[in-house]
Amino acid sequence: MAKLIYPVNVSMDGYIEDERGNLEWLISDDEVFAFWTDFQQPIGTYLYGRRMYESMVYWETANIKMNPSSGDQLEVMRNFAQIWRAAEKIVYSRTLQSVSSARTRIEREFDPDAIRRLKESSGADITIGGPELAGQAMSAGLIDECHLLLNPIVLGGGKRALPDNLRMRLELLGERRFRCGVVQLHYRVIV
């Protein structure tokens, strides 16, 4: 059975974006970007909320040209784009009228039973992106793992990465420090 994984960049105080919806505070150097690229390799399906999809759809048409002075970085970016394009994508939105990426469909409502069936039938792991959508999956007991990339910044407000009024026990499976100060924490949800 496939795992449903919530990977998220988060501030020290638990936010994924600041009070203005800004993500420019994220630290994503070459090492962090290479981590995300490697992380995505075994993923077969992405579940997205509308806003997360709209930020990720860039990778559908990204035209990454080789520059000899930054060849390794661009190769990682090209690999990420290829991985993203190859995966199935399901966007949960009541307002999005159409998608602009291949292998993508829109679902109007989050259906926990449909996600359970997807986990049972999928040959590859699944990620979920967007805090509201992930919160629904957490409340339904569907999340198997969380990967938090903790950024060394305090935002003081914004959109929370984890929902209020939810209690989950987690087991730390691994951690990694990046040179830029970001720390990755890998947890398994204890049922």
Side-chain angles (χ1 to χ4, degrees), residues 8 19 31-32 35-36 66 71 74 82 84 89 94 110 113 146 152 159 176 179 185:
V8 62
E19 291 174 325
E31 185 183 21
V32 172
F35 165 80
W36 279 126
M66 185 60 87
L74 292 174
Q82 289 172 348
W84 193 86
K89 293 162 271 302
R94 291 183 189 99
F110 180 78
D113 290 330
C146 296
K159 184 177 284 188
R176 177 178 174 181
R179 289 184 301 273
L185 300 170

Side-chain angles (χ1 to χ4, degrees), residues 121-141:
S121 65
S122 181
D125 288 339
I126 305 160
T127 62
I128 191 162
E132 287 92 7
L133 186 63
Q136 290 178 40
M138 287 177 192
S139 295

Side-chain angles (χ1 to χ4, degrees), residues 25-92:
W25 55 269
L26 287 171
I27 298 172
S28 185
D29 66 3
D30 293 349
E31 185 183 21
V32 172
F33 196 86
F35 165 80
W36 279 126
T37 301
D38 290 341
F39 176 85
Q40 302 296 331
Q41 295 230 0
I43 304 303
T45 305
Y46 302 123
L47 308 180
Y48 288 130
R50 180 190 53 82
R51 288 190 62 208
M52 183 62 71
Y53 171 72
E54 288 173 342
S55 69
M56 294 300 293
V57 76
Y58 161 82
W59 296 103
E60 182 70 13
T61 59
N63 186 11
I64 302 158
K65 296 185 177 165
M66 185 60 87
N67 177 341
S69 65
S70 59
D72 290 344
Q73 177 188 17
L74 292 174
E75 185 63 29
V76 170
M77 292 175 76
R78 234 188 332 273
N79 289 344
F80 184 90
Q82 289 172 348
I83 292 165
W84 193 86
R85 291 174 191 148
E88 296 291 327
K89 293 162 271 302
I90 304 171
V91 183
Y92 292 85

